[in-house]
Amino acid sequence: MNQDTSVTFDDIAAARKDFAAERANSVAKNAATAQGIRAVARVPEAIANNALAFDVEVKQGDRTNQERSGRCWMFASLNTFRIRIMQNYNLKTFELSQAYPLFWDKLEKSNWFLENILDTTDEPLEGRLMNYLLFDPICDGGQWDMFKGLVKKYGVCPKEAMPETANSCNTRDLDRYLTRYLRGCAKRLRETNAAGASSEDLTAMKKEMMSEIYRMLVIALGEPPAHFEVRLRDKDDKLVLSGTFTPQEFFEKAVRIKVDDYVSLISAATTDKPYNRSFTVSRLGNIVEFGQVRHLNLPIDQLKRVAIAQMQDNVPVWFGCDVMQSYLQDEGIMDTAALDVDGLFGFAVEAALNREERLDYGESLMTHAMVLEGVRFDAHGKPTMWKVENSWGKDHGRDGFDTISDAWFDEYVYQVVVDKKYLTDEQRAQYDAHDDIELAPWDPMGSLAH
């Protein structure tokens, strides 16, 4: 046995001696084993900097709750839509149905998956691409461009028109059984293709599968409304909107925004992603006719600039981040100074990798979408703290709100969605050129959709 490749008992004895030599190690051990790592690494002095006081602030309605589902991207998108309805009709609060886009997203993702299976029949089943496609074909996650496609095709509706169900609040079983069925569909399609079936036969098989998927979704989520009644009363109890609408008509009438004007900006400082270039992620999407997800990569200060500009116009900002990093979840605080994990352990743990290295080595990726609704500045006009509307209910954080320190923004915010009017002429031209670099399906800039 090569002693250099094994953990020897001499190594362990030396580590024991080193640990016992420092009194602080025993104190840290006693505290962390009793209270947990984050509780012991919490820095109380940093908490005081996270007050809910902002120089720019967008006022929203009541907090929303995605419960036990991965619909953060839908909730964040709908939370940027509902403020338009509240502003347009002088409402105290309003909530759009989150079950409605969930239904259509599952249907469209199923079709997207089956089309990808038909497109990869020559790929080896044990290869990385097939492993990726089969691993989680209709997960709850998604990206802004995917939600934009859902709205353009299917519109939106009030929550009362399609309320939550047991399976929208907790999507685990629906995802499990739909995934199992889709993997079975993939097997049948690949085997039928290998037997020499025509493309017409394979298309007919897929259409039959999609009909069965629709049935499964209706049983689990209820059938989406083709039209519904609306009666909205404003803060003064005045009837301000009434009538019968389709979801598409309600979006045009009540929300009144051009979703194609809103673009995804990322900040990924890795060598394979040069700034001021647009990117797409291979095989990432939901609605076939609308194509893949697209991003424009810019330095992080540009993401801050456009986010502030949009909030100054009283419009909240959809954003994606790595939410659990340096996060005091119960207190709703995301701050690199709030947790001193390196001090607790006595060596570099969080400081072991910088922003670029965390992306390259699989330590960081986009895991959650929320809404920026405020920012505080220092005496020089630089942002110091950001207000965030989460989608974990009013009992989370501080009445449903979180705060992000500007240092945390620098490290763990990767994406914002803004009206492209806030971009420079050069940035708009680059995005509109569609000169996209295609990233691998498993790239971290597509992770929010997984």
Side-chain angles (χ1 to χ4, degrees):
M1 181 177 67
N2 187 339
Q3 297 295 312
D4 292 334
T5 61
S6 302
V7 177
T8 69
F9 286 105
D10 287 342
D11 294 334
I12 295 171
R16 285 181 183 273
K17 184 177 179 180
D18 289 344
F19 186 91
E22 293 288 339
R23 175 180 174 274
N25 290 336
S26 293
V27 174
K29 176 199 69 175
N30 294 342
T33 55
Q35 301 297 325
I37 292 172
R38 287 186 192 239
V40 178
R42 181 182 181 274
V43 180
E45 292 81 4
I47 309 305
N49 296 325
N50 286 266
L52 287 172
F54 301 94
D55 297 302
V56 176
E57 189 171 9
V58 181
K59 298 293 185 180
Q60 271 276 37
D62 297 337
R63 307 287 73 73
T64 58
N65 193 343
Q66 69 187 76
E67 300 197 46
R68 299 179 66 183
S69 71
R71 295 175 290 165
C72 60
W73 60 295
M74 292 183 176
F75 274 73
S77 300
L78 292 170
N79 285 343
T80 64
F81 286 176
R82 66 173 179 157
I83 193 170
R84 272 73 166 202
I85 301 174
M86 293 166 58
Q87 292 169 345
N88 291 339
Y89 296 102
N90 190 32
L91 306 179
K92 181 179 179 181
T93 190
F94 189 81
E95 192 165 351
L96 289 159
S97 170
Q98 300 93 2
Y100 180 78
L102 176 68
F103 182 100
W104 295 119
D105 182 59
K106 295 296 185 191
L107 187 75
E108 293 285 356
K109 274 181 183 166
S110 296
N111 185 62
W112 180 276
F113 169 75
L114 296 177
E115 284 296 316
N116 272 290
I117 293 299
L118 291 173
D119 190 50
T120 55
T121 52
D122 294 333
E123 290 284 333
L125 189 59
E126 67 276 9
R128 187 174 186 182
L129 178 57
M130 291 308 301
N131 179 268
Y132 164 81
L133 292 175
L134 292 168
F135 179 71
D136 196 8
I138 44 83
C139 70
D140 290 353
Q143 267 288 346
W144 161 253
D145 282 347
M146 295 163 68
F147 190 83
K148 178 171 69 174
L150 292 172
V151 170
K152 290 173 66 174
K153 187 169 182 177
Y154 297 107
V156 297
C157 67
K159 189 163 189 172
E160 293 81 3
M162 189 170 179
E164 294 286 276
T165 70
N167 294 303
S168 65
C169 293
N170 184 347
T171 55
R172 181 183 60 184
D173 282 346
L174 171 60
D175 287 348
R176 176 182 296 159
Y177 291 119
L178 182 51
T179 295
R180 182 167 181 157
Y181 177 74
L182 286 170
R183 288 170 178 158
C185 292
K187 173 182 178 293
R188 289 159 53 199
L189 287 171
R190 285 174 63 92
E191 290 178 347
T192 304
N193 175 76
S198 68
S199 59
E200 291 79 9
D201 289 340
L202 292 171
T203 298
M205 281 184 66
K206 193 204 79 169
K207 286 188 177 295
E208 182 179 345
M209 293 167 179
M210 288 301 300
S211 178
E212 291 173 343
I213 290 167
Y214 183 89
R215 184 194 315 167
M216 181 184 292
L217 292 172
V218 171
I219 290 171
L221 299 172
E223 194 152 22
H227 50 79
F228 46 84
E229 294 290 326
V230 173
R231 292 181 66 83
L232 295 184
R233 292 188 176 273
D234 67 8
K235 296 176 182 178
D236 302 318
D237 201 35
K238 178 183 176 182
L239 185 65
V240 290
L241 180 65
S242 64
T244 302
F245 299 90
T246 67
Q248 295 86 346
E249 290 169 344
F250 184 73
F251 179 78
E252 292 295 325
K253 177 71 173 180
V255 183
R256 306 177 197 169
I257 65 169
K258 297 179 180 178
V259 290
D260 283 332
D261 287 345
Y262 286 80
V263 298
S264 168
L265 310 178
I266 58 171
S267 187
T270 52
T271 54
D272 64 327
K273 299 180 184 70
Y275 286 137
N276 302 305
R277 287 297 306 272
S278 55
F279 294 83
T280 188
V281 181
S282 176
R283 301 191 183 277
L284 180 63
N286 57 353
I287 301 178
V288 170
E289 60 264 36
F290 292 143
Q292 297 168 210
V293 166
R294 300 185 65 235
H295 306 298
L296 177 63
N297 192 28
L298 298 174
I300 195 68
D301 66 298
Q302 290 296 300
L303 269 62
K304 295 179 185 180
R305 178 187 67 79
V306 296
I308 291 170
Q310 184 161 298
M311 287 190 294
Q312 286 173 330
D313 287 339
N314 204 32
V315 177
V317 177
W318 189 108
F319 79 104
C321 66
D322 190 356
V323 69
M324 293 308 295
Q325 303 277 6
S326 297
Y327 188 23
L328 293 172
Q329 187 170 343
D330 291 341
E331 296 172 273
I333 292 172
M334 290 168 246
D335 189 340
T336 55
L339 289 170
D340 185 12
V341 174
D342 293 2
L344 174 66
F345 290 114
F347 55 88
V349 178
E350 291 197 320
L353 300 169
N354 63 28
R355 180 183 172 100
E356 178 180 356
E357 293 162 347
R358 286 193 297 271
L359 290 171
D360 283 339
Y361 283 85
E363 166 55 25
S364 190
L365 42 71
M366 284 189 284
T367 59
H368 193 44
M370 297 179 284
V371 180
L372 294 171
E373 292 189 350
V375 61
R376 183 163 75 240
F377 303 112
D378 64 15
H380 305 289
K382 301 294 184 181
T384 60
M385 195 67 59
W386 301 77
K387 180 183 177 184
V388 173
E389 180 182 13
N390 209 330
S391 53
W392 293 345
K394 65 180 181 62
D395 295 329
H396 164 75
R398 285 159 285 180
D399 192 34
F401 291 107
D402 291 323
T403 54
I404 288 178
S405 71
D406 195 60
W408 196 95
F409 196 116
D410 286 338
E411 297 297 329
Y412 300 115
V413 171
Y414 294 113
Q415 180 183 15
V416 300
V417 171
V418 297
D419 192 317
K420 62 184 177 181
K421 69 182 180 182
Y422 298 109
L423 302 180
T424 66
D425 291 342
E426 292 78 11
Q427 290 165 351
R428 275 193 300 275
Q430 178 57 55
Y431 184 84
D432 291 339
H434 287 264
D435 181 23
D436 300 336
I437 298 172
E438 187 174 69
L439 302 172
W442 39 84
D443 190 272
M445 290 302 104
S447 58
L448 193 58
H450 303 314

